[in-house]
């Protein structure tokens, strides 16, 4: 999944230290990440991922096959929103 995201030009990282969610989200904040992709045991079994939009504090569980288009749409939305405010 990381390889595929990187192939589409996304910078991404994975926590390999099995830290708590709290510690992992601190790392997300430090990295100023826009999204976090959560993959737990149930997601693995169902071939799904949970995508958390950090800025909007919203999350949605989607199929792995939908990941790239979903991330594209979220970040495109974020980019348009950011550009709208630059001219103010």
């Amino acid at each position: 999944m990381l390889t595929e995201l990187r192939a589409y030009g996304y910078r991404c990282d994975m926590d390999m230290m099995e830290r708590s969610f709290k510690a992992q989200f601190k790392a997300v904040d430090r990295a100023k990440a826009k999204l976090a992709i959560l993959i737990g045991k149930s997601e693995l079994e169902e071939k799904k991922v949970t995508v958390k939009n950090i800025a909007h504090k919203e999350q949605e569980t989607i199929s792995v096959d939908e990941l790239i288009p979903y991330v594209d749409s979220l970040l495109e939305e974020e980019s348009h929103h950011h550009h709208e405010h630059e001219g103010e």
Side-chain angles (χ1 to χ4, degrees):
M1 201 172 310
L2 285 178
T3 305
E4 188 177 357
L5 285 164
R6 288 179 178 141
Y8 280 87
Y10 293 113
R11 286 181 298 155
C12 41
D13 199 3
M14 180 175 167
D15 184 84
M16 302 298 273
M17 297 182 280
E18 298 185 16
R19 294 179 291 182
S20 69
F21 271 135
K22 186 176 180 181
Q24 289 181 48
F25 277 107
K26 281 185 181 179
V28 167
D29 286 341
R30 278 194 300 275
K32 295 183 176 22
K34 292 177 173 51
L35 303 174
I37 299 170
L38 313 173
I39 307 168
K41 199 180 245 184
S42 63
E43 283 91 355
L44 277 175
E45 289 170 1
E46 297 173 20
K47 293 188 173 27
K48 294 186 181 268
V49 296
T50 299
V51 180
K52 184 173 179 79
N53 184 322
I54 304 301
H56 299 285
K57 294 182 171 55
E58 298 169 349
Q59 68 183 43
E60 187 166 344
T61 300
I62 58 168
S63 109
V64 170
D65 297 337
E66 299 174 288
L67 181 61
I68 299 297
Y70 185 74
V71 168
D72 282 346
S73 70
L74 282 180
L75 294 178
E76 191 174 287
E77 211 174 89
E78 191 71 30
S79 174
H80 288 308
H81 183 72
H82 178 70
H83 291 302
E84 288 171 9
H85 292 288
E86 282 181 353
E88 292 177 0

